[in-house]
Amino acid sequence: MNILVVGANGATGRQVVRKLQDSSQYTPIAGVRKQEQVEEFKSQGVDARLVDVRETVTQIVEKLSGIDTIVFTAGGGSSMLVDLDGKVKTAKAAEQAGVKRFILISAGGIHHFHDDDRLEWMNDYEEYSAAMYYSDLWVEHSNLNYTIIRPGHLSNEAGTGMIQIGEYLPHKSITREDVALVVIASLQNERTIRKAFDIIGGNISIEEALSSL
């Protein structure tokens, strides 16, 4: 199964590529914006393509030949043209190209952006929060077999394989490695299809947590 990781050059994207590369079931393809990044991934034995989500939907569709699943890890407050426009255009391109499976890394609690009990960090990052909220909403109303993973504060420590999962969790930490492991486990668990959930570090194995969905 060929998995295109959009935003593969980011800290979380690199973790996802690494975990896919370690698996015999999947072939990762790094989606990056610069040719030197393509060459870097290829030197590591990972196929790579230039995929710039700031391009048109038609141009993105052209990059999806032979792709079975998209994992979208790009963004993180870098630009509304990525966090909102780029995410929606990539989802549209997936629909047009017939790539049904779409796994999206979002942000913890973002679906409560408009609620009185929204998380405190959203008050400091309102534009980013709005971009994430509306792009998530578009994906949820698409025809894609999506999984929206909403992690809390991302850290760079080694993963534990243990998480807490829920509809709305406090914005506590989770390692990028554990987020990548959740991506891999979601590919293997049909209960995650057309589901969105928050995750933070916890004391339940990833497999058990996803099976509770």
Side-chain angles (χ1 to χ4, degrees):
M1 181 182 291
N2 293 327
I3 315 292
L4 176 66
V5 181
V6 178
N9 195 56
T12 302
R14 285 181 176 274
Q15 287 280 359
V16 172
V17 169
R18 192 172 299 121
K19 297 302 178 187
L20 289 169
Q21 194 176 21
D22 289 342
S23 171
S24 60
Q25 295 177 258
Y26 308 112
T27 301
I29 299 171
V32 294
R33 291 196 299 113
K34 299 178 181 179
Q35 185 61 38
E36 55 263 36
Q37 295 166 349
V38 170
E39 301 305 325
E40 179 189 352
F41 276 102
K42 286 187 175 181
S43 72
Q44 299 168 7
V46 177
D47 194 7
R49 300 180 185 181
L50 289 172
V51 181
D52 190 342
V53 300
R54 297 170 300 180
E55 294 181 330
T56 67
V57 173
T58 300
Q59 288 173 310
I60 297 171
V61 168
E62 293 171 353
K63 311 297 175 63
L64 301 184
S65 175
I67 298 300
D68 301 299
T69 295
I70 294 171
V71 179
F72 193 100
T73 70
S78 58
S79 168
M80 291 279 276
L81 292 178
V82 175
D83 295 319
L84 175 56
D85 192 55
K87 192 185 302 180
V88 171
K89 284 190 298 187
T90 304
K92 283 184 176 181
E95 285 188 325
Q96 292 185 19
V99 181
K100 294 294 293 182
R101 195 74 169 97
F102 192 87
I103 297 182
L104 173 63
I105 307 299
S106 182
I110 204 68
H111 51 308
H112 282 259
F113 173 61
H114 283 308
D115 298 344
D116 291 336
D117 62 341
R118 74 182 187 180
L119 298 175
E120 182 63 31
W121 69 267
M122 297 177 199
N123 296 325
D124 297 323
Y125 300 96
E126 285 191 318
E127 288 190 2
Y128 167 70
S129 299
M132 298 295 279
Y133 174 84
Y134 286 107
S135 53
D136 278 19
L137 195 64
W138 196 97
V139 171
E140 288 182 289
H141 286 82
S142 72
N143 295 318
L144 298 170
N145 289 332
Y146 67 81
T147 301
I148 300 177
I149 300 168
R150 294 170 170 151
H153 176 72
L154 294 169
S155 70
N156 295 317
E157 287 80 9
T160 66
M162 308 293 282
I163 64 170
Q164 181 179 346
I165 194 167
E167 193 273 335
Y168 190 36
L169 297 176
H171 202 63
K172 295 183 178 179
S173 292
I174 185 167
T175 70
R176 295 180 190 275
E177 183 177 8
D178 281 330
V179 173
L181 289 171
V182 171
V183 169
I184 305 303
S186 294
L187 288 168
Q188 300 168 345
N189 190 331
E190 291 188 353
R191 294 181 69 90
T192 65
I193 292 177
R194 296 194 68 84
K195 297 285 180 63
F197 48 85
D198 284 13
I199 54 171
I200 56 176
N203 56 8
I204 302 172
S205 71
I206 290 171
E207 290 73 16
E208 182 181 353
L210 294 183
S211 294
S212 70
L213 293 171

